Amino acid sequence: MIPARATSFAGSSVPAANAWTWAAYGWALLVTLGLSYFLVRMPFQVSDNIGNLLQLHQKSLGDLLYTYSFGGTYLRPLLWGFMKVVFDVSHGHYFLAFKAVEIVQLFLLLSLFARLLMVRSRVDFLAAPFAFTVLLGIHTFGGFLWEAYPINTFMTIAVFVLAVLNLAESRGGLIVDAVAPVLLVAAMFMVESGLLVWVATAAAYLAGARGVSRRGLTASTAVFVGYFVLRFVVLGGGTPGLDERSTGYGFSVVDRFDLPGRFGENPSWFYFTNVVSAFASVLFAEPRYGVWEFSRALITDAHELAPWMIINVVTSTLTTLLIVGYTLRRVPKWLRLNVDPDDRLVVVFWALTLANAVISYAYCKDQIVSVAGVVYPLAAFGVVRHLLRRSPAFGFVVRTALVGILLLASAGWAVRTCGLCYTLHAAAYRHRNDWVDIEKWMHDARVGEHDPADAEFVRGIRRDALRMQVPPPVTVYGRFGSRYFDQHP
Amino acid sequence: MTHTSERVTALHLALIALPLLLMVVTVVLLVGSLFDWNPLWPRDDFNMSEQAALKNRAGILERLENGENPNLARVVRAGLIRSHPMTVTPIEVAVATRETWLVQFMLDHGALVTDENRERLVCIARDVGANDVEQMISQGKLVDCIGIQTPWK
């Protein structure tokens, strides 16, 4: 008989993977194929990408590793090393190579996500697709796919986080304890949000997952501390300045050149609001990129309250309320580090979301909280599965209300998932059109002045991008798309 | 024997119904794409005037680089501008969009404003209320639109 409660792999009797488990993996594979349909039709983006591609073209692996180790604000040698290897191995087939990396990353992310759902029964499987629609529909997910420069490092970090959570839920052992800190090193030296891999390791351990043992956690913690020593003491690196990027604040976007003037005397308040905004954004889909646009549309007449805003905020709020309701009853137990295996996904979600919000202190962007956006559906799944298991004990009224709530939430997330297709199509269209103006960028950046091959390199990518067929999204989605699907970015 | 919690109830169906529908649609579309059926990514067979109506500079550029004439009138299918087909040049459509950047783009890529078509273009701009575009096209010359019929009147 299949146990009613799935428990950790580590040191307990958990059913082995069965047909339902493989059905969940099959779901992940089909989702990968569905999204890949759009990815292979999406031209390279220009902004944040063409400059990187040019560096990959101009510089050697050694130069890149040196520049991004000792160069200044950012410590990202492994990111550039990885991109350079892919670039060189592609032998000129850059689009094919980097798209292949993107699709492999996507498949890994979805498979690791499916594994964490621990689907072992029909009930589990019936809830799993809901988790996938929350994952795809959440506003932080789209950025994994429509943005790539030329690799999307936010998705890379999400893969690492899910990988380490899977390690934490494994049977453990020496290899697991060795791999965990290695993953952390790889993540941290790719991009700063890689630090969240340590948060995931520690949160999972505190929540009772012992796949990564105390030994592995200690090693990871040592690596984590060592990173800060290396970066800020040995290398004397800095942190992003106040004028790093424009960002939302309140009801509008503040230009990055105005930020020092407005908040230079008390940047702590600005950073605090960014953290709060990031946290709220994951839970309520409001604010977006730091702008409280839903609230603004409710309060003022100057901005329209579009249907897509209502769908986003209502769906996220409904789902978050389910998670919060589940959490509040268990907080006293959790604070005593008494966490049931079924609760672990929710505990890890809160820990990672808080940490992700904190590292978003410098500016607000949906992509920066994308790791939290990946564990949010895990928490939602955990709560919903718990409700399904307990539902036979509910009275008719409660069960009926629950059906209504879950149907509404499921419908909202399904609409948002459809909106992902629209978002990807719109991004592809935008990317293709951005290549029209590349000559001006080349002129301003003096590309080709020292080496004409640089100009020809950029023009070659432009030719390939303009040759790609991208019908205008309005011809497919009509006005419906612009009203009911998320309009960011 | 099925465990009590394994029975499929309305609750389960409420959760899976729509995601399952999405997955079925996904599979149908993926299989269809193998047979060149792509309703979510149809062929971009819009002509240059239609591309201008869609404000698709990349589409316009692609056709220019294929050697198409930017000053030729083409039939814009119903639904893109009006509910009936219209035969118009890309620059006329660009003016009607009221977007100065699109008009400038057409001018930069070979669209001509001549003494023959200036009046018509200015009158189109006036009909759609595009003051900035009207100034761009008229270049200070006075234009009287009495007796000039445009498709946007």
Side-chain angles (χ1 to χ4, degrees):
Chain A
M1 186 177 89
I2 297 169
R5 299 161 73 88
T7 54
S8 158
F9 293 136
S12 58
S13 56
V14 173
N18 57 26
W20 295 114
T21 318
W22 290 106
Y25 287 135
W27 198 279
L29 177 62
L30 286 173
V31 172
T32 305
L33 291 174
L35 292 176
S36 299
Y37 178 91
F38 294 94
L39 288 180
V40 300
R41 288 164 172 77
M42 187 180 301
F44 271 145
Q45 71 183 66
V46 173
S47 65
D48 291 338
N49 185 35
I50 189 57
N52 290 353
L53 283 171
L54 205 47
Q55 285 199 72
L56 294 173
H57 168 74
Q58 291 167 330
K59 296 182 178 172
S60 69
L61 178 62
D63 283 345
L64 289 168
L65 289 176
Y66 182 86
T67 302
Y68 288 95
S69 298
F70 306 105
T73 306
Y74 297 115
L75 181 59
R76 300 174 177 176
L78 289 187
L79 168 64
W80 283 93
F82 179 49
M83 290 198 298
K84 180 61 177 172
V85 166
V86 173
F87 185 88
D88 287 347
V89 160
S90 73
H91 290 299
H93 300 286
Y94 314 119
F95 184 82
L96 184 64
F98 284 110
K99 286 296 171 181
V101 167
E102 206 173 352
I103 290 170
V104 166
Q105 275 198 150
L106 177 64
F107 179 64
L108 283 174
L109 184 132
L110 293 172
S111 302
L112 291 168
F113 179 85
R115 193 168 187 278
L116 280 171
L117 298 180
M118 289 196 221
V119 172
R120 293 291 185 275
S121 68
R122 179 166 53 181
V123 166
D124 292 346
F125 181 73
L126 288 175
F130 174 75
F132 276 99
T133 54
V134 176
L135 175 67
L136 301 182
I138 196 166
H139 53 286
T140 56
F141 187 83
F144 283 157
L145 304 175
W146 64 258
E147 204 174 49
Y149 20 79
I151 285 172
N152 189 298
T153 47
F154 293 111
M155 181 156 56
T156 310
I157 298 309
V159 170
F160 279 128
V161 166
L162 292 183
V164 92
L165 288 177
N166 273 280
L167 289 180
E169 293 288 354
S170 71
R171 287 190 178 83
L174 188 58
I175 294 177
V176 169
D177 283 343
V179 169
V182 168
L183 286 179
L184 178 60
V185 167
M188 289 192 308
F189 288 97
M190 284 199 123
V191 72
E192 288 69 26
S193 54
L195 295 168
L196 291 171
V197 173
W198 177 81
V199 176
T201 311
Y205 184 88
L206 289 174
R210 292 291 189 270
V212 178
S213 70
R214 184 180 299 204
R215 173 179 57 193
L217 178 61
T218 303
S220 294
T221 305
V223 162
F224 181 77
V225 172
Y227 172 87
F228 286 96
V229 171
L230 173 68
R231 177 162 173 173
F232 296 109
V233 178
V234 174
L235 297 176
T239 52
L242 206 52
D243 59 350
E244 174 76 11
R245 278 177 198 261
S246 303
T247 185
Y249 178 81
F251 287 169
S252 61
V253 174
V254 182
D255 188 83
R256 63 190 203 121
F257 298 112
D258 295 333
L259 286 168
R262 265 179 90 162
F263 302 105
E265 294 205 356
N266 185 16
S268 306
W269 168 251
F270 174 67
Y271 295 147
F272 173 74
T273 59
N274 285 343
V275 171
V276 169
S277 291
F279 191 71
S281 178
V282 175
L283 301 183
F284 305 110
E286 168 81 346
R288 298 292 303 278
Y289 292 84
V291 179
W292 294 78
E293 54 189 28
F294 178 82
S295 309
R296 179 182 67 187
L298 274 181
I299 294 169
T300 69
D301 291 330
H303 297 91
E304 185 203 5
L305 184 62
W308 65 267
M309 292 181 184
I310 300 172
I311 292 169
N312 283 6
V313 172
V314 168
T315 312
S316 285
T317 302
L318 213 51
T319 308
T320 295
L321 287 175
L322 288 174
I323 299 173
V324 167
Y326 183 92
T327 300
L328 286 176
R329 296 183 62 186
R330 290 163 178 77
V331 162
K333 251 182 46 170
W334 293 352
L335 290 176
R336 295 192 303 271
L337 297 185
N338 179 8
V339 180
D340 289 337
D342 282 351
D343 296 347
R344 270 206 289 272
L345 290 176
V346 183
V347 170
V348 167
F349 155 71
W350 285 118
L352 273 170
T353 301
L354 200 54
N356 206 166
V358 168
I359 67 169
S360 307
Y361 75 93
Y363 58 91
C364 292
K365 192 176 173 186
D366 281 357
Q367 289 85 324
I368 299 180
V369 287
S370 51
V371 166
V374 161
V375 290
Y376 177 87
L378 290 174
F381 172 78
V383 171
V384 162
R385 183 169 57 182
H386 169 80
L387 288 172
L388 289 179
R389 286 182 175 149
R390 285 204 57 211
S391 63
F394 295 156
F396 174 76
V397 171
V398 172
R399 257 204 325 276
T400 306
L402 213 46
V403 167
I405 290 170
L406 291 180
L407 197 54
L408 187 61
S410 181
W413 287 112
V415 171
R416 290 173 77 172
T417 297
C418 293
L420 178 60
C421 303
Y422 171 84
T423 298
L424 296 179
H425 193 147
Y429 179 75
R430 194 172 57 248
H431 293 339
R432 185 171 180 247
N433 270 276
D434 284 346
W435 283 102
V436 170
D437 296 319
I438 201 63
E439 290 286 345
K440 182 179 182 309
W441 176 85
M442 287 172 64
H443 177 267
D444 293 345
R446 297 155 91 167
V447 174
E449 245 179 47
H450 300 293
D451 186 351
D454 291 346
E456 185 45 41
F457 169 76
V458 174
R459 290 196 181 106
I461 297 178
R462 173 188 180 274
R463 262 193 308 273
D464 291 342
L466 288 178
R467 262 191 219 127
M468 295 183 72
Q469 292 288 304
V470 184
V474 69
T475 62
V476 177
Y477 300 93
R479 204 161 169 266
F480 184 91
S482 62
R483 302 288 297 154
Y484 291 90
F485 297 145
D486 200 314
Q487 295 300 298
H488 284 286
Chain B
M1 184 185 87
T2 308
H3 193 275
T4 314
S5 66
E6 290 291 304
R7 266 210 309 267
V8 176
T9 65
L11 216 50
H12 302 109
L13 295 176
L15 267 180
I16 199 170
L18 290 169
L20 186 60
L21 178 63
L22 284 184
M23 183 51 77
V24 167
V25 170
T26 300
V27 171
V28 166
L29 290 174
L30 282 173
V31 170
S33 70
L34 298 174
F35 299 95
D36 207 24
W37 181 66
N38 295 287
L40 290 187
W41 211 274
R43 272 187 224 289
D44 184 1
D45 59 357
F46 298 102
N47 61 44
M48 202 185 295
S49 296
E50 291 171 328
Q51 297 286 351
L54 294 165
K55 304 179 192 178
N56 186 5
R57 292 183 310 150
I60 295 170
L61 197 62
E62 188 193 357
R63 280 142 187 81
L64 287 168
E65 291 182 353
N66 283 342
E68 292 187 27
N69 183 346
N71 297 297
L72 211 60
R74 296 165 176 86
V75 177
V76 174
R77 65 195 79 182
L80 284 184
I81 302 175
R82 290 285 159 84
S83 57
H84 54 84
M86 297 166 69
T87 303
V88 282
T89 64
I91 185 70
E92 288 172 346
V93 180
V95 167
T97 66
R98 296 183 286 186
E99 303 284 11
T100 53
W101 55 265
L102 187 59
V103 173
Q104 190 61 56
F105 179 79
M106 291 308 310
L107 295 175
D108 291 342
H109 289 85
L112 298 172
V113 177
T114 63
D115 290 337
E116 282 77 32
N117 69 356
R118 189 189 310 280
E119 279 184 354
R120 181 176 164 84
L121 290 173
V122 167
C123 295
I124 290 174
R126 214 170 274 174
D127 286 342
V128 300
N131 295 331
D132 290 347
V133 173
E134 182 184 341
Q135 283 177 20
M136 257 177 96
I137 300 291
S138 65
Q139 292 180 343
K141 293 180 182 165
L142 288 172
V143 172
D144 183 357
C145 291
I146 293 173
I148 296 180
Q149 283 291 329
T150 76
W152 283 271
K153 213 175 203 68

